[in-house]
Amino acid sequence: MKNLLLITAILLMGCSSNDSSTYNDNDSGGVDSPNDAPLVLSILSTDSENSSYIYSDIYTYDGNKLESVTQSDNQSNSISIYYFVYTNNKVIRIDGYTSYNASEPTKTKEVNYSYDSQGRLASMVRTDPYETETGTFTYNANGSVTYNSSYKENNSPISTENPISLQFDSKDNLISFSDDEGTRVLAYDNYKSPFKNVVGLNFHILLSGELTSSEIFSLNNNCTSASSSNAQGETSSNTYSYDYNQEGYPRQIIAKDSDGYESTITIQYSN
């Protein structure tokens, strides 16, 4: 599946963490109480190979519901804006618009989600001017989730992708990701994800790129280690160093890959 595989290149490099704060709240998931529920206002990320290249994510809300994400960078003339539509406190649709050279934004993407009777993500349909991706999520007895997807490009036959297997821990953090290209295994700390207090998101939104252009892998906690191997037996890893605020949310992340390239991720909150 092309969109969930946007995370593959990152996870193939792996990650680990060196926390600069002693805060640990043994967080077990869920949204903080309304009186102390900071929401992400912006995320700025530098490119790992060119620190002058900066990616920007700007967020607006209706209460604790995400209203929009505006993504841009300082090296191109395009801006992407994603609007989030809710039903029963869950995101059911994302409408994507793109503006080039300060032109009027035009709709370039629509993503629709459905949920099963237990409130779990059941299906996804993504449409853009060139193709439609359809995906289903199957919840297995061993706790894993299988994603099956197919694509229909304009005037072309339907193309079926190989299944992807995802495994989550008790806090809904993604701990393994396997497909025909290889396997990635991640572990997490007890600190709070920047997106912990946003209502109604699902893991596909985070992994597919509409929520953030930065290297954040979970809606609940933060990645502390990862190992990756491909079908040829090659392995790789990254390191992630966190600076947490007093409430246990990351305010800066230093990402370094195995080739020594670094990226700095800076996060601002509503309070």
Side-chain angles (χ1 to χ4, degrees), residues 65 84-93 115 200:
K65 294 180 180 179
F84 293 74
V85 179
Y86 283 76
T87 293
N88 297 326
N89 287 330
K90 289 185 178 296
V91 174
I92 62 163
R93 193 176 81 243
Y115 300 85

Side-chain angles (χ1 to χ4, degrees), residues 66-81:
L66 184 59
E67 196 170 53
S68 70
V69 179
T70 300
Q71 297 183 349
S72 62
D73 63 72
N74 65 345
Q75 301 292 322
S76 69
N77 296 317
S78 66
I79 297 175
S80 296
I81 307 173

Side-chain angles (χ1 to χ4, degrees), residues 23-223:
Y23 181 92
N24 190 321
D25 71 339
N26 195 26
D27 184 65
S28 59
V31 176
D32 280 355
S33 61
N35 292 330
D36 63 345
L39 298 168
V40 177
L41 295 181
S42 68
I43 299 178
L44 301 180
S45 307
T46 61
D47 186 85
S48 60
E49 297 186 27
N50 184 353
S51 60
S52 65
Y53 202 127
I54 300 174
Y55 304 91
S56 171
D57 302 330
I58 306 297
Y59 301 84
T60 66
Y61 298 90
D62 178 8
N64 277 37
K65 294 180 180 179
L66 184 59
E67 196 170 53
S68 70
V69 179
T70 300
Q71 297 183 349
S72 62
D73 63 72
N74 65 345
Q75 301 292 322
S76 69
N77 296 317
S78 66
I79 297 175
S80 296
I81 307 173
Y82 300 103
Y83 297 98
F84 293 74
V85 179
Y86 283 76
T87 293
N88 297 326
N89 287 330
K90 289 185 178 296
V91 174
I92 62 163
R93 193 176 81 243
I94 302 173
D95 295 323
Y97 292 79
T98 303
S99 171
Y100 298 98
N101 297 313
S103 63
E104 187 71 19
T106 59
K107 190 171 184 178
T108 52
K109 183 186 299 184
E110 181 174 313
V111 186
N112 288 275
Y113 293 105
S114 70
Y115 300 85
D116 64 17
S117 60
Q118 299 182 50
R120 303 175 301 187
L121 182 60
S123 68
M124 183 279 305
V125 178
R126 178 190 302 270
T127 304
D128 63 33
Y130 307 102
E131 68 177 13
T132 297
E133 174 193 1
T134 302
T136 59
F137 300 86
T138 301
Y139 296 83
N140 307 307
N142 65 358
S144 66
V145 179
T146 302
Y147 182 82
N148 289 283
S149 62
S150 61
Y151 298 86
K152 178 68 172 70
E153 295 185 4
N154 294 339
N155 303 316
S156 298
I158 294 176
S159 173
T160 301
E161 297 289 305
N162 291 324
I164 295 177
S165 177
L166 303 103
Q167 188 80 41
F168 297 85
D169 64 16
S170 59
K171 300 178 184 179
D172 291 329
N173 297 309
L174 176 65
I175 57 174
S176 71
F177 179 98
S178 303
D179 56 22
D180 58 341
E181 296 181 359
T183 299
R184 307 86 178 147
V185 178
L186 301 91
Y188 294 82
D189 60 20
N190 288 321
Y191 293 82
K192 301 169 184 177
S193 165
F195 300 109
K196 173 181 167 57
N197 298 314
V198 183
V199 170
L201 301 179
N202 62 63
F203 61 86
H204 185 274
I205 296 174
L206 177 60
L207 302 185
S208 61
E210 282 85 23
L211 186 59
T212 179
S213 52
S214 65
E215 299 178 28
I216 297 174
F217 305 132
S218 175
L219 298 173
N220 293 310
N221 300 120
N222 298 293
C223 176

